[in-house]
Amino acid sequence: MNKDDTLGGRSAAEWRSAIPLIDDLVALKELSWFNPGIAPTAQALADVGLDASDVAAASARLQRFAPWIARVFPETRAAGGLIESDIAALPAMQAALCRDAGITPQGALWLKKDSHLPISGSIKARGGIYEVLAHAERLALAAGLLREDDDYARLDSDAFRAFFGRHRIAVGSTGNLGLSIGLMGAKLGFHVTVHMSADARAWKKARLRANGVHVVEYASDYSAAVAEGRRQAEADPQCHFVDDENSTDLFLGYAVAAERLQQQLTAEGIAVDVEHPLFVYLPCGVGGGPGGVAFGLKLIFGDAVHCVFAEPTHAPCMLLGVRTGLHEDVAVQDFGIDGVTAADGLAVGRPSGFVGRAMQRLIDGYITVSDDTLYRRIAQMDALEGVRLEPSAVAGLPGMVQVLTETQGYRQRMGLSSERMAHATHLVWATGGGMVPEDEMASYLAQGRALA
């Protein structure tokens, strides 16, 4: 869109005049916006069009596939085919963040290590893997080859691989979603094509190709890769397109993470209620992963959980879509923001309209983070906590400080008194890092240390 086009009947200049925040986004400033339109969970969940029974069905499907997953992915055998990540306390990182901000720590900071999830190591893993499994199950059930009460380990056979080999799966991705869908789809026997944007890392493309996945590379951004993938799939009746912008299967696969997190928090003796609020900082690209996780969390914890999306300063698409109310009808490029960031998994210019509309009254706030901050936090996490992450995975780290120092009336509006904040748990949701090649990780760390 050029500067003369209109956005919802207004020019870009008119939007900037009406919403001063957009000027700060265009200037690539690190900022926070806490949503004055947040509503009680019991009311706002109706916006989603899904409910707890849908998440329960997704969880049950993953359980049916667990014997097969344990059989074909040895790294999951100890967990019985469960694809899940640990949580870890970050006391040293919390102290450093508060020291840098000149504030006193309140509550406790934790990390959800989706960066180290089995198979494809990102927040996208659950959703992407779940959608492939859901599609496979539907095909096999419809063909009379499988019953829900079967032992799904029998899917590990030449006969099933030949059956799935008559079908195709396509997806557009900046990298992490494509990785999860490509690896899982190929293991079942599907022919998988991943349309990769210019931001996708070379090692992710190489890993997919090494596993028999067809990778199509684009010189343009995520939206173009998705559009072309969708166009090609629509012309092929045997091809299932995984729509990162609108898929309810992806969304439900992500949401399953919440029930597992609840178990982990309970095991650590961490209470979550009105007097012990939980803040979750989620890295956001197109919005599906963080939206699905946040939906699951709201179903379980209600108003006691507060979800904040973290986006790169160069690609704040969800914040822009929600704040303007334009959702998928606006892209960061419409305001001259380039969408180019070191956080390749978050390098998305246009947000999911489905997630924006479904979750706009359930997401407490949005923060933006510069590439320099991402690199510095990568180096700090390695030095202080011994955890190595990729840029997208540390996007949520500044969230705790943004909440504790906000001046928008958010904490007062939400009844987050000093006493309650003293008992808060802050959880940074990491995505990507555990599978990054050593030379690339060394480059991340070197850049971060140079900025320290």
Side-chain angles (χ1 to χ4, degrees):
M1 181 175 293
N2 64 52
K3 64 183 180 181
D4 296 321
D5 290 326
T6 60
L7 300 155
R10 290 178 172 178
S11 69
E14 287 170 331
W15 276 111
R16 291 178 68 164
S17 177
I19 303 176
L21 173 75
I22 296 176
D23 279 340
D24 289 337
L25 292 177
V26 171
L28 307 178
K29 292 182 179 179
E30 292 188 322
L31 54 83
S32 63
W33 178 66
F34 291 95
N35 183 8
I38 194 81
T41 302
Q43 295 177 22
L45 280 173
D47 298 347
V48 181
L50 300 165
D51 59 30
S53 68
D54 297 304
V55 181
S59 182
R61 178 175 282 129
L62 288 170
Q63 193 58 47
R64 291 196 293 275
F65 272 96
W68 175 80
I69 294 170
R71 183 165 173 166
V72 301
F73 292 101
E75 62 269 38
T76 70
R77 285 177 189 164
L82 180 71
I83 301 167
E84 198 44 70
S85 66
D86 296 331
I87 60 173
L90 299 178
M93 193 69 213
Q94 180 177 13
L97 288 166
C98 291
R99 184 173 60 250
D100 290 350
I103 61 175
T104 301
Q106 289 182 278
L109 181 65
W110 287 73
L111 183 73
K112 177 62 173 166
K113 297 176 70 174
D114 273 10
S115 49
H116 293 71
L117 268 174
I119 304 176
S120 67
S122 79
I123 191 174
K124 294 288 192 178
R126 286 184 206 80
I129 287 168
Y130 174 75
E131 175 144 348
V132 171
L133 297 179
H135 180 58
E137 184 183 57
R138 289 168 186 145
L139 288 174
L141 290 172
L145 300 175
L146 188 69
R147 298 186 316 180
E148 286 189 5
D149 58 357
D150 282 344
D151 178 355
Y152 278 29
R154 63 192 294 264
L155 290 166
D156 182 27
S157 70
D158 290 341
F160 271 103
R161 282 186 286 273
F163 169 70
F164 293 129
R166 300 200 294 270
H167 300 269
R168 286 167 289 284
I169 294 175
V171 65
S173 175
T174 59
N176 286 338
L177 180 63
L179 202 59
S180 66
I181 287 168
L183 296 177
M184 184 58 69
K187 186 67 74 171
L188 280 161
F190 287 102
H191 291 282
V192 186
T193 299
V194 179
H195 299 265
M196 298 283 247
S197 67
D199 311 281
R201 299 297 186 200
W203 70 267
K204 296 178 183 178
K205 300 172 189 174
R207 185 166 185 202
L208 284 168
R209 289 179 172 131
N211 282 272
V213 177
H214 180 50
V215 176
V216 182
E217 299 185 55
Y218 294 82
S220 50
D221 72 356
Y222 165 86
S223 295
V226 170
E228 182 59 22
R230 183 183 287 113
R231 187 191 68 78
Q232 291 184 20
E234 286 173 349
D236 181 355
Q238 295 299 106
C239 185
H240 175 72
F241 179 69
V242 180
D243 189 343
D244 196 14
E245 297 171 3
N246 300 294
S247 170
T248 54
D249 274 342
L250 281 178
F251 193 77
L252 291 169
Y254 299 135
V256 169
E259 66 181 38
R260 300 173 179 178
L261 175 64
Q262 181 187 33
Q263 295 166 6
Q264 292 174 322
L265 293 174
T266 299
E268 293 287 348
I270 298 172
V272 179
D273 53 40
V274 173
E275 299 302 324
H276 303 81
L278 172 64
F279 294 85
V280 182
Y281 307 99
L282 292 148
C284 181
V286 75
V293 171
F295 172 62
L297 291 169
K298 284 292 186 177
L299 283 172
I300 291 173
F301 298 115
D303 294 332
V305 66
H306 306 270
C307 299
V308 175
F309 283 4
E311 299 183 282
T313 54
H314 283 260
C317 68
M318 186 59 70
L319 169 52
L320 189 61
V322 171
R323 181 65 185 88
T324 60
L326 293 171
H327 300 293
E328 78 275 26
D329 291 328
V330 67
V332 300
Q333 290 85 356
D334 295 335
F335 289 91
I337 304 170
D338 61 16
V340 178
T341 170
D344 58 300
L346 311 182
V348 177
R350 189 179 301 276
S352 163
F354 159 58
V355 173
R357 291 184 179 87
M359 300 300 294
Q360 62 186 340
R361 297 200 296 160
L362 290 164
I363 304 306
D364 286 56
Y366 304 79
I367 66 169
T368 64
V369 189
S370 71
D371 282 8
D372 282 357
T373 294
L374 297 176
Y375 283 126
R376 280 197 301 270
R377 297 311 183 199
I378 287 172
Q380 278 186 301
M381 280 293 293
D382 178 54
L384 297 175
E385 302 288 358
V387 179
R388 294 191 165 187
L389 302 170
E390 65 180 41
S392 299
V394 295
L397 274 172
M400 177 189 66
V401 169
Q402 293 279 30
V403 166
L404 293 175
T405 60
E406 63 85 22
T407 57
Q408 299 170 37
Y410 162 69
R411 282 168 296 154
Q412 182 179 12
R413 189 168 67 246
M414 301 301 292
L416 295 165
S417 65
S418 296
E419 292 76 17
R420 289 175 175 174
M421 294 305 294
H423 298 113
T425 300
H426 299 269
L427 183 80
V428 175
W429 209 286
T431 178
M435 298 181 180
V436 173
E438 281 299 317
D439 58 342
E440 190 147 344
M441 182 59 69
S443 173
Y444 291 155
L445 293 170
Q447 290 180 76
R449 291 164 184 157
L451 291 165

